[in-house]
């Protein structure tokens, strides 16, 4: 079936640094979503991408829909302590109208 | 109102108990979802309701029984669970056909 891979699996960065993480698949996806999950909470949608090559920003966050439609990238600029959490990418392909496939997540720790 | 609420926040139940999880949204969304999430793993889809009708059941054991009594409410009835069913149960909602799903905070379930 369709699977997503995320890298890195975890990262520890200094406050103020920029962060990059990515999500890849062997399958084509039509939509990419990026979620952040804080401990004990549900995932919160950060950015949604709908077109290959699309670059979208949300405050300090920027995400891109890869041109091959098999990958997506999330960048966080000038990290702050509240950026700590798990970042999940999620994709929707052509096989199911309602089914979102989640990647395994990237755990981000920010050192003040 | 962009909130999905879930009750209870925590639930401990024995293997012979019957309990229910509740989810509510007032965003006018007609698609609602149940996910199961184990620690340090992504959410796994269990059920999807569209227009109050079950549209996807991801081969979930019958000890989990979903119910959508109206367009704002989603229940998950639990009976004769196993310890391995202990997890965070997340509810989400979206417009039908929309990719952005909005998650509730989850119910942390422990089966003893």
């Amino acid at each position: 079936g369709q699977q997503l891979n995320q890298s890195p699996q975890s990262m520890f960065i200094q406050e103020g640094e920029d962060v990059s993480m990515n999500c890849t698949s062997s399958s084509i996806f039509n939509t990419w979503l990026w979620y952040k999950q804080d401990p004990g909470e549900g995932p919160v949608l950060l950015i949604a991408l709908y077109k290959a090559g699309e670059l979208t920003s949300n405050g300090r966050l920027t995400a891109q829909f890869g041109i091959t439609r098999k990958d997506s990238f999330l960048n966080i600029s000038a990290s702050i302590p509240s950026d700590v959490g798990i970042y999940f990418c999620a994709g929707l392909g052509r096989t199911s109208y309602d089914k979102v496939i989640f990647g395994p997540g990237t755990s981000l720790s920010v050192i003040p | 109102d962009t909130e999905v609420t879930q009750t209870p926040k925590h639930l401990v139940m024995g293997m012979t108990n019957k309990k229910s999880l509740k989810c509510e949204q007032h965003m006018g969304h007609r698609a609602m979802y149940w996910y199961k999430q184990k620690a340090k793993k992504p959410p796994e889809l269990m059920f999807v309701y569209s227009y109050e009708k079950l549209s996807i059941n991801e081969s979930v054991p019958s000890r989990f029984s979903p119910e959508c009594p109206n367009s704002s409410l989603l229940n998950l009835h639990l009976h004769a669970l196993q310890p391995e069913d202990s997890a965070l149960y997340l509810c989400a909602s979206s417009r039908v056909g929309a990719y952005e799903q909005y998650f509730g905070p989850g119910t942390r379930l422990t089966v003893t």
Side-chain angles (χ1 to χ4, degrees):
Chain A
Q2 293 174 309
Q3 266 193 313
L4 297 179
N5 301 302
Q6 284 188 249
S7 64
Q9 185 176 1
S10 62
M11 50 196 317
F12 294 80
I13 61 166
Q14 207 73 34
E15 183 177 356
E17 287 183 356
D18 296 344
V19 173
S20 289
M21 59 187 78
N22 68 16
C23 185
T24 59
S25 171
S26 57
S27 305
I28 287 175
F29 283 86
N30 290 333
T31 300
W32 289 94
L33 308 170
W34 284 93
Y35 285 89
K36 180 191 177 215
Q37 187 171 24
D38 292 332
E41 299 292 331
V44 173
L45 182 64
L46 300 174
I47 292 179
L49 302 159
Y50 303 104
K51 294 182 187 175
E54 179 181 354
L55 186 71
T56 297
S57 293
N58 178 6
R60 293 179 296 107
L61 277 61
T62 302
Q64 184 160 24
F65 191 141
I67 203 75
T68 64
R69 298 165 68 190
K70 293 184 178 181
D71 56 9
S72 179
F73 304 87
L74 176 69
N75 295 318
I76 305 173
S77 62
S79 58
I80 59 178
S82 61
D83 291 333
V84 165
I86 300 180
Y87 291 80
F88 291 104
C89 65
L92 284 94
R94 296 173 182 165
T95 57
S96 177
Y97 194 53
D98 296 316
K99 196 168 162 181
V100 172
I101 297 168
F102 282 86
T106 291
S107 175
L108 176 65
S109 299
V110 178
I111 304 164
Chain B
D1 183 1
T2 58
E3 196 177 52
V4 177
T5 58
Q6 290 188 244
T7 56
K9 192 159 178 64
H10 300 277
L11 178 63
V12 179
M13 61 185 290
M15 289 190 283
T16 58
N17 291 159
K18 285 185 183 181
K19 295 285 185 185
S20 296
L21 309 185
K22 296 186 183 303
C23 173
E24 190 167 4
Q25 58 87 17
H26 294 288
M27 294 180 276
H29 291 168
R30 302 299 294 277
M32 296 186 77
Y33 312 78
W34 281 114
Y35 287 86
K36 174 183 177 180
Q37 187 178 29
K38 292 285 220 179
K40 301 190 187 303
K41 297 289 187 184
E44 296 174 28
L45 183 66
M46 299 174 72
F47 303 103
V48 180
Y49 274 83
S50 294
Y51 298 109
E52 296 85 69
K53 294 202 181 329
L54 185 65
S55 61
I56 294 178
N57 175 343
E58 289 288 294
S59 302
V60 179
S62 60
R63 57 186 184 268
F64 295 91
S65 175
E67 178 197 20
C68 190
N70 61 54
S71 59
S72 301
L73 292 173
L74 186 66
N75 298 321
L76 186 63
H77 303 298
L78 315 173
H79 174 54
L81 295 193
Q82 305 296 310
E84 60 264 29
D85 296 323
S86 298
L88 181 68
Y89 287 84
L90 295 162
C91 172
S93 72
S94 74
R95 290 181 292 113
V96 174
Y99 305 123
E100 302 91 339
Q101 294 181 17
Y102 295 86
F103 284 83
T107 293
R108 174 72 60 189
L109 174 67
T110 303
V111 182
T112 61

